Amino acid sequence: MSLLKWLSGSKTKAIRDHSTESTGSSYNPQTRFKSELTQSSLLPDSDPEYASYSGCSVIHEDDPASDIKGAYEKVLQNKGPFQPKDIKFEVNKNRSFLISWYDLCPWLEYSPTSQAAYCYSCRAFPSLTNKACRGQHSEPAFVNVGFKNWPKAIRSFNKHQSSIPHKESTVKIAGLKSTVIVGDVTVQVNKQYSIEVENNRLYFNCLLDSLLYCCRQGIAVRGHREDDNSLNKGNFLELMELRAKDNTIIKQYFIEKEKSFRYVNPSYLNMFIEYMGKDVLQSIIRDIQDSKFFSIMVDETQDLAKHEQVAIFIRYVSKLFITHEVFLGFYRTDKTDGETLVNLIKQFLQTNNLIIQNIRGQCYDGAASMRSSYTGVQARIRSENKFAIYVHCYVHILNLCLVDLSKQSSFVRNTFGTLQTLYSFMGASSKRNSVFEKILSTSSINVSQKTKLKSLSDTRWNCRIEAINSVINTLPVIVQTLQNISDNDVNYGSEANNLLNCILHFEFIFCLFLLKTVLEQTNILSKYLQSPSINYALVKEMSIKTYDSLQDLRSDESFNKCWESSQDLVKNNGFLPPKLPRNRKISYKKLGGGHVFPEFHDEKSYYRISIYFPVLDIVMKEIKDRFNENDLSILNSLMETLTNESPSQSSIQEVCKFYGPNEDDLTAELKIFNKMFKGYGKVNNIENRILYLKNKDIQNGFPIIVELLQIFLTIPTSSVSCERSFSCLKKLKNYLRTTIGQERLSNMAILYIEREREVNNEQIINLFNKNKNRKIDLE
């Protein structure tokens, strides 16, 4: 216990023990002295002289004779002695009261009613007989009787003001006035304690804000050496020292070390990160519970420490039909089979008070442990909850379509292989890369991020179109660079020459423009599918539009544009013109002869029939076949019921059979709602229907439609959020931080990804205040 707090408690107790006596009441100076005054024999109730004046018709409220007991209230009201001057003083023994006596004795009062003088101090605090006064007590003449012996006034006044009772009363008045202004000892101690607590909490707020800044920036909190002699103590301590230059509280507590404990060692920082992470997590869980229905998205990856990390996301829809996809942490697992992952998910739901029966959708990638119809995660969860509809991530499906295109078309495979070889060859040597940058700086090409060569990856969905655009934009520079290396580099000149021959081939250039045309269409769909707010209806519409746009490319007009673009690049830079491939033949003796390829009369026909149309056919077939995997009957029926002006009765029946609402009630709601929406004058889609519900504030009138809308919007279409969290994982657990603890990693990831959610510092301080390790007063 701090000295200040002990003083507060002990002083208060001492004062109360001294004042309560036999009554046991709380300490009150006013009650105490009134009680003494009442018990005193100095009260004028039986005094005949006082009674003779009490019947005066006009009495001033501050007249000393009007209220002998009221002097204490006058002190509390900050009123001084009653000293009237514009009156006629009564003559007694040929002498009368003199006004000059007020200046001589400031404590003096005069009563026009009793025509007598009184002592202001002794009336307020009459002294009883006690040891301190050595048997003396206040003189009745100056307290309640009144002094009138004017010939002996000066001598009596001097004798009275030098008496111990009068001095004691004067000291009591001064003490009472000081108590009224600044409070008694207990009040002052409590006030000082409150100031100390406020400063302590203010320091903790500064400390938590600095720690939260490091977490939300994804930077390391601690340094390798954190002692005072270290040049770099780590981001957190360095930030605290920087803030101390402008923050007096941090300067007092952290730099000047006015307190014994600064709470910046690793154990306390881990504790604060845990408190902040759980505060954000609890806020998310409350929102999920308010929305009732939710969907789950899970994906796993391996970190730099060779540990398998599982990212868990929840998708839910608020009461205002706003879709949220929230991150709930990384969880380490030793195995990634279906049973292990399901147990992990169920344990997570149970820990956070989320009911598995409220799941309405689940979305994973195409791994066998996830999508297997018998032992996969989706099958095991659906065995416990039939409403948990599984959707294969559409972005992964689209990516698989492009991967399969590379496998099925040798032209596409060779083109992507050349692009990857070019990136690896140029990036493997700083010398070769400097040659490329030097030639690029002297060219007329505008240097930007798009001019840098890009690597290819099966998991980075935008890498292919970026790699193709960068090569097309800088192809003349690439050719000059390879020629320079081929002529001057003894060790790698042959590789540069071989790569140059591949790039100068017209087939490579034509495939670049063809793939650019195709990937521009699919890349729009890919970006669209990565939006967290997208729903099944929008995905369905967008995928159909993309397929139609690819179908439109399968025309002679589109081919001619691609052909002309390739020809222009070749002619402008002096590259090799197109040539027909040699028509290979098979021996008559083996297979009866004949040609392997049909004969073409010109190069243009060859590229149109052998490359252009087959590539488009493969892409369209893959998109059509793979996207049909998620073409679920219940989702189509639910979409038709919610978006069609006149949905079929079969769709309504299927929705009611699966989700359980009464068919007649749903039909009635749809009939009324569609009539109302028909006059809204906007495009008939799910977004405008939701907007109409919110603007008109008619959700209470259509409870079944509102619930079905929430379920429909809750069903996820991609697990892109999980993929994004892996970028956070690489930033937090990099090669310098591979020993970071799992709980600390998960809490920091929550603070980093869910940075839009506020952290309640006051609640965290209150939580820490309950900790036994606390050595500072916080309340």
Side-chain angles (χ1 to χ4, degrees):
M1 182 183 296
S2 66
L3 178 61
L4 185 60
K5 190 171 184 180
W6 178 86
L7 283 174
S8 175
S10 59
K11 273 293 183 183
T12 304
K13 184 176 185 305
I15 293 173
R16 288 176 177 172
D17 291 344
H18 178 72
S19 61
T20 53
E21 298 180 346
S22 61
T23 61
S25 59
S26 60
Y27 175 71
N28 188 331
Q30 182 176 351
T31 305
R32 176 187 175 193
F33 290 112
K34 278 190 175 182
S35 176
E36 291 182 358
L37 190 62
T38 304
Q39 297 173 6
S40 174
S41 61
L42 303 177
L43 292 179
D45 294 346
S46 58
D47 189 86
E49 186 175 359
Y50 175 78
S52 64
Y53 290 103
S54 61
C56 184
S57 58
V58 180
I59 302 177
H60 194 277
E61 61 178 0
D62 293 331
D63 193 315
S66 65
D67 186 6
I68 298 301
K69 302 178 183 180
Y72 181 80
E73 281 77 3
K74 290 177 63 178
V75 177
L76 294 178
Q77 297 172 7
N78 201 24
K79 291 183 178 180
F82 183 66
Q83 299 176 343
K85 297 179 181 180
D86 298 333
I87 62 172
K88 184 179 180 180
F89 297 103
E90 183 183 45
V91 178
N92 184 17
K93 297 180 182 181
N94 297 324
R95 297 289 296 273
S96 65
F97 185 87
L98 298 179
I99 296 177
S100 60
W101 290 346
Y102 290 148
D103 298 328
L104 181 65
C105 302
W107 47 267
L108 200 61
E109 289 186 308
Y110 185 82
S111 171
T113 304
S114 62
Q115 295 294 329
Y118 297 87
C119 176
Y120 171 75
S121 302
C122 292
R123 281 200 323 113
F125 292 99
S127 297
L128 303 177
T129 302
N130 54 50
K131 294 181 181 180
C133 298
R134 298 178 182 179
Q136 302 182 33
H137 55 80
S138 299
E139 301 176 61
F142 289 97
V143 177
N144 60 328
V145 177
F147 180 82
K148 296 184 179 181
N149 193 0
W150 310 128
K152 298 181 179 181
I154 299 298
R155 185 176 62 181
S156 298
F157 292 163
N158 291 333
K159 180 181 178 182
H160 176 75
Q161 69 182 3
S162 63
S163 66
I164 292 179
H166 175 80
K167 293 180 179 179
E168 184 185 53
S169 300
T170 304
V171 171
K172 288 180 179 180
I173 288 180
L176 180 60
K177 289 182 177 180
S178 176
T179 300
V180 172
I181 297 173
V182 299
D184 57 10
V185 175
T186 304
V187 173
Q188 294 183 51
V189 170
N190 289 337
K191 183 178 179 180
Q192 181 62 32
Y193 179 74
S194 300
I195 294 174
E196 182 180 358
V197 169
E198 183 180 356
N199 290 336
N200 292 342
R201 295 182 73 93
L202 186 58
Y203 170 70
F204 265 84
N205 270 287
C206 296
L207 188 149
L208 293 176
D209 287 340
S210 300
L211 185 58
L212 182 62
Y213 171 82
C214 294
C215 293
R216 285 184 169 168
Q217 293 299 315
I219 57 179
V221 175
R222 298 176 56 193
H224 182 64
R225 291 182 55 197
E226 297 181 345
D227 56 89
D228 294 336
N229 297 326
S230 176
L231 295 178
N232 186 355
K233 304 179 182 66
N235 292 317
F236 173 72
L237 295 181
E238 293 291 340
L239 178 61
M240 290 289 287
E241 289 190 1
L242 178 63
R243 296 189 65 194
K245 296 180 180 180
D246 303 318
N247 191 308
T248 56
I249 292 295
I250 297 180
K251 183 178 181 181
Q252 293 173 7
Y253 282 66
F254 183 75
I255 302 297
E256 299 175 356
K257 301 180 182 179
E258 290 189 0
K259 301 294 179 180
S260 301
F261 299 92
R262 300 188 298 170
Y263 299 97
V264 294
N265 62 50
S267 59
Y268 283 116
L269 295 183
N270 289 340
M271 184 187 303
F272 296 145
I273 291 175
E274 178 185 357
Y275 288 165
M276 289 190 291
K278 289 184 177 180
D279 181 71
V280 174
L281 181 61
Q282 290 172 0
S283 172
I284 295 173
I285 296 300
R286 285 193 297 267
D287 292 344
I288 297 173
Q289 291 172 341
D290 290 341
S291 65
K292 186 178 179 181
F293 301 123
F294 62 92
S295 294
I296 188 166
M297 298 172 289
V298 176
D299 203 353
E300 72 280 345
T301 189
Q302 190 181 74
D303 59 26
L304 288 178
K306 308 302 181 184
H307 299 152
E308 200 69 33
Q309 298 286 350
V310 178
I312 297 181
F313 273 79
I314 293 292
R315 179 185 174 100
Y316 69 94
V317 178
S318 66
K319 295 180 180 179
L320 297 176
F321 300 103
I322 300 176
T323 305
H324 301 272
E325 290 184 358
V326 290
F327 174 72
L328 298 182
F330 287 118
Y331 299 88
R332 181 179 169 183
T333 180
D334 297 329
K335 296 187 294 184
T336 58
D337 58 281
E339 182 179 2
T340 303
L341 293 177
V342 166
N343 291 335
L344 176 64
I345 293 172
K346 291 170 66 175
Q347 182 181 1
F348 161 78
L349 295 176
Q350 184 179 2
T351 303
N352 293 284
N353 297 320
L354 296 176
I355 304 174
I356 193 173
Q357 300 302 326
N358 288 338
I359 297 178
R360 290 297 178 267
Q362 44 183 334
C363 186
Y364 317 118
D365 59 14
S369 59
M370 292 294 189
R371 60 177 294 187
S372 176
S373 302
Y374 300 101
T375 59
V377 173
Q378 64 92 12
R380 294 175 184 270
I381 291 182
R382 289 202 68 183
S383 65
E384 299 187 35
N385 178 9
K386 69 174 185 178
F387 303 112
I389 299 174
Y390 167 65
V391 177
H392 186 188
C393 175
Y394 275 99
V395 185
H396 281 90
I397 291 177
L398 181 60
N399 191 57
L400 289 175
C401 294
L402 301 179
V403 172
D404 287 346
L405 172 63
S406 302
K407 295 178 180 179
Q408 297 181 37
S409 175
S410 60
F411 302 103
V412 176
R413 181 181 66 244
N414 295 337
T415 301
F416 283 135
T418 303
L419 290 175
Q420 184 61 37
T421 304
L422 176 63
Y423 172 81
S424 302
F425 180 77
M426 299 297 292
S429 170
S430 57
K431 180 180 179 181
R432 295 193 288 270
N433 187 65
S434 64
V435 174
F436 172 77
E437 291 180 347
K438 184 177 181 180
I439 296 176
L440 179 63
S441 62
T442 58
S443 66
S444 59
I445 300 175
N446 184 22
V447 179
S448 65
Q449 192 71 19
K450 294 181 179 181
T451 60
K452 295 183 179 180
L453 300 180
K454 308 292 182 180
S455 176
L456 300 181
S457 172
D458 289 340
T459 57
R460 288 175 50 238
W461 299 311
N462 296 334
C463 66
R464 294 180 181 85
I465 184 65
E466 292 176 354
I468 291 172
N469 285 330
S470 63
V471 171
I472 291 177
N473 293 332
T474 60
L475 189 58
V477 177
I478 293 173
V479 171
Q480 293 182 40
T481 303
L482 292 176
Q483 289 175 343
N484 186 299
I485 297 173
S486 177
D487 296 336
N488 301 319
D489 196 319
V490 177
N491 298 322
Y492 297 96
S494 59
E495 293 184 21
N497 185 65
N498 294 334
L499 191 56
L500 181 62
N501 292 333
C502 294
I503 292 176
L504 291 177
H505 202 285
F506 183 82
E507 179 184 301
F508 174 77
I509 298 174
F510 178 80
C511 287
L512 284 180
F513 283 97
L514 170 59
L515 291 175
K516 178 183 179 182
T517 305
V518 174
L519 293 180
E520 282 177 345
Q521 304 299 320
T522 58
N523 194 52
I524 294 174
L525 177 61
S526 177
K527 291 181 178 180
Y528 191 76
L529 293 175
Q530 294 178 42
S531 173
S533 61
I534 196 171
N535 56 69
Y536 181 78
L538 296 176
V539 171
K540 195 83 172 177
E541 180 183 3
M542 191 66 182
S543 60
I544 293 175
K545 298 298 183 184
T546 302
Y547 183 86
D548 293 341
S549 65
L550 292 173
Q551 184 71 37
D552 294 338
L553 291 176
R554 200 181 186 284
S555 64
D556 291 338
E557 181 181 358
S558 300
F559 168 76
N560 291 333
K561 291 182 180 179
C562 182
W563 177 263
E564 291 173 1
S565 300
S566 305
Q567 289 281 52
D568 291 340
L569 182 62
V570 169
K571 292 178 181 178
N572 294 335
N573 295 279
F575 298 159
L576 299 177
K579 292 181 180 180
L580 285 173
R582 187 180 63 179
N583 196 18
R584 292 180 296 147
K585 296 182 180 181
I586 299 178
S587 175
Y588 284 94
K589 296 181 180 180
K590 293 182 179 180
L591 298 176
H595 297 285
V596 176
F597 299 104
E599 293 189 13
F600 297 97
H601 299 290
D602 58 358
E603 296 84 359
K604 190 173 183 180
S605 300
Y606 167 74
Y607 279 92
R608 181 177 68 251
I609 299 174
S610 298
I611 301 178
Y612 187 83
F613 287 155
V615 168
L616 290 175
D617 291 339
I618 293 173
V619 173
M620 289 188 293
K621 182 179 182 302
E622 288 294 327
I623 291 178
K624 185 176 181 180
D625 293 343
R626 290 188 175 275
F627 273 59
N628 284 337
E629 178 184 352
N630 290 332
D631 194 13
L632 304 177
S633 176
I634 181 60
L635 290 181
N636 292 328
S637 298
L638 186 58
M639 180 180 67
E640 182 184 357
T641 302
L642 295 174
T643 59
N644 203 322
E645 293 183 357
S646 56
S648 63
Q649 196 63 30
S650 60
S651 297
I652 296 177
Q653 290 175 353
E654 185 175 4
V655 170
C656 294
K657 182 179 180 181
F658 188 80
Y659 288 109
N662 184 273
E663 182 179 343
D664 294 335
D665 293 341
L666 177 58
T667 303
E669 286 191 13
L670 290 172
K671 186 176 181 180
I672 297 174
F673 179 77
N674 288 332
K675 285 185 177 180
M676 295 173 62
F677 181 76
K678 192 173 183 180
Y680 193 51
K682 289 192 175 182
V683 179
N684 183 21
N685 54 32
I686 194 168
E687 288 78 16
N688 287 331
R689 286 173 171 260
I690 292 172
L691 188 62
Y692 179 75
L693 275 173
K694 292 195 295 185
N695 291 343
K696 298 298 182 180
D697 195 18
I698 54 177
Q699 293 95 318
N700 294 332
F702 304 95
I704 300 178
I705 294 179
V706 169
E707 181 172 323
L708 292 178
L709 274 172
Q710 288 180 332
I711 293 174
F712 184 74
L713 296 177
T714 300
I715 297 174
T717 57
S718 70
S719 58
V720 174
S721 298
C722 297
E723 298 287 346
R724 291 197 184 101
S725 68
F726 297 153
S727 299
C728 166
L729 177 63
K730 291 180 180 179
K731 188 172 185 179
L732 295 178
K733 197 169 185 178
N734 54 36
Y735 73 99
L736 292 176
R737 304 165 70 184
T738 55
T739 59
I740 185 173
Q742 184 63 36
E743 188 174 2
R744 177 187 172 97
L745 171 65
S746 183
N747 288 322
M748 292 185 71
I750 290 176
L751 296 173
Y752 179 80
I753 296 174
E754 299 295 332
R755 65 184 64 192
E756 294 182 357
R757 292 184 177 265
E758 296 293 331
V759 175
N760 191 339
N761 285 351
E762 296 300 323
Q763 187 173 346
I764 293 172
I765 295 173
N766 294 336
L767 185 62
F768 176 72
N769 188 51
K770 300 177 183 178
N771 194 299
K772 294 182 180 180
N773 295 328
R774 173 185 58 84
K775 298 180 177 63
I776 193 171
D777 295 315
L778 296 172
E779 67 176 9

